[in-house]
Amino acid sequence: KQRGIAYYYTNQFANAINDLNFYLKLYPTDYTALYYRGLSFEKNNQQDKANNDFETLKKYPQIIDNILICYPITNSHTT
């Protein structure tokens, strides 16, 4: 997960998606990983896949709040 997030922050979005996909197969309820995969999809011009991740996260508003406290990023999908 951490490497996928690091890839996101270094603009290596395809690598981030690959790592986070693998991680989410093992830990499907890690919503931080799902959040970063959605952001990576968005930056990689895969809006439909990004929207799917963000729609899943919207079901758990308390989790979004916790993620944004730990990993603050301005994102229109979380408000």
Side-chain angles (χ1 to χ4, degrees):
K1 172 174 103 174
Q2 295 303 332
R3 187 172 68 177
I5 293 170
Y7 280 141
Y8 171 81
Y9 279 112
T10 57
N11 299 321
Q12 298 178 59
F13 306 116
N15 288 333
I17 291 165
N18 288 335
D19 272 23
L20 294 168
N21 279 341
F22 179 79
Y23 182 83
L24 284 163
K25 286 179 185 176
L26 299 173
Y27 304 98
T29 59
D30 187 323
Y31 298 110
T32 301
L34 188 66
Y35 175 69
Y36 275 96
R37 187 178 70 176
L39 292 176
S40 296
F41 278 138
E42 187 172 62
K43 294 287 190 175
N44 207 42
N45 297 314
Q46 295 176 281
Q47 195 60 50
D48 288 343
K49 291 181 178 182
N51 288 342
N52 287 338
D53 284 353
F54 295 133
E55 288 301 318
T56 298
L57 288 169
K58 284 181 182 180
K59 297 175 187 175
Y60 308 98
Q62 71 283 4
I63 291 172
I64 293 173
D65 291 341
N66 290 337
I67 292 169
L68 293 176
I69 288 168
C70 296
Y71 303 96
I73 292 179
T74 303
N75 189 298
S76 62
H77 298 286
T78 58
T79 56

